Amino acid sequence: MNIEATAVPDAYRITPRLLTDDRGSFHEAFRSDALERDTGHVFTAAQYNHSSSRRGTLRGMHSVLLPPGQAKYVSCVRGSVLDVVADLRLGSPTFGAYTSTVLEAHGGTGVFVAEGLAHGFVALTDDACVSYLCSTAYVPGTQVDVFPLDPALGLPWHLGLTGEPLLSPKDAAAPSLARAADLGLLATYDECRAHYARQRRTR
């Protein structure tokens, strides 16, 4: 598999090598040892989630308070989505930067999202199914939501939308980027770097 850095430090695009024959294809979707070797990030899955979405559904932007923090490996296992990762770590040299990737089930490409980054996607097909490997189990009260259509984020949802997005009530009511910062919901860049270093030391 190929692990590629993106415009957002600590977010990586992972493209597998497909083995194909007349029956279809097979690929290794993810390897934690390869991620650690190529990026220095230690990742062990503690929870596995799926979401299924109608075309035009927008889910995001989501993160988790640090601590506990939550890294994710995200892939699309049915249909396709426009996946977006944004750097919302306060004090980051690339604060506000984002990267987008079209994830398609037949291609197998996935995205690794380190702790402190925000993630979301818009479904490009009906019944798009997204898979998430998460480094920590869900802890009520630790989810961080930022309004995905906040102009301050400037995210490229228009590339995947033909009309108004379908948002959950929670995402529609999420705070703006500025309000999330005022509420103390965003991790700092230094906190995240220290967290990544602790993970490596306790490996």
Side-chain angles (χ1 to χ4, degrees), residues 18-26:
L18 298 181
L19 304 175
T20 61
D21 60 24
D22 57 0
R23 299 167 299 164
S25 67
F26 172 87

Side-chain angles (χ1 to χ4, degrees), residues 161-183:
L161 290 169
T162 56
E164 291 298 312
L166 300 172
L167 292 169
S168 70
K170 179 171 69 74
D171 285 345
S176 68
L177 176 61
R179 181 65 177 148
D182 289 344
L183 292 170

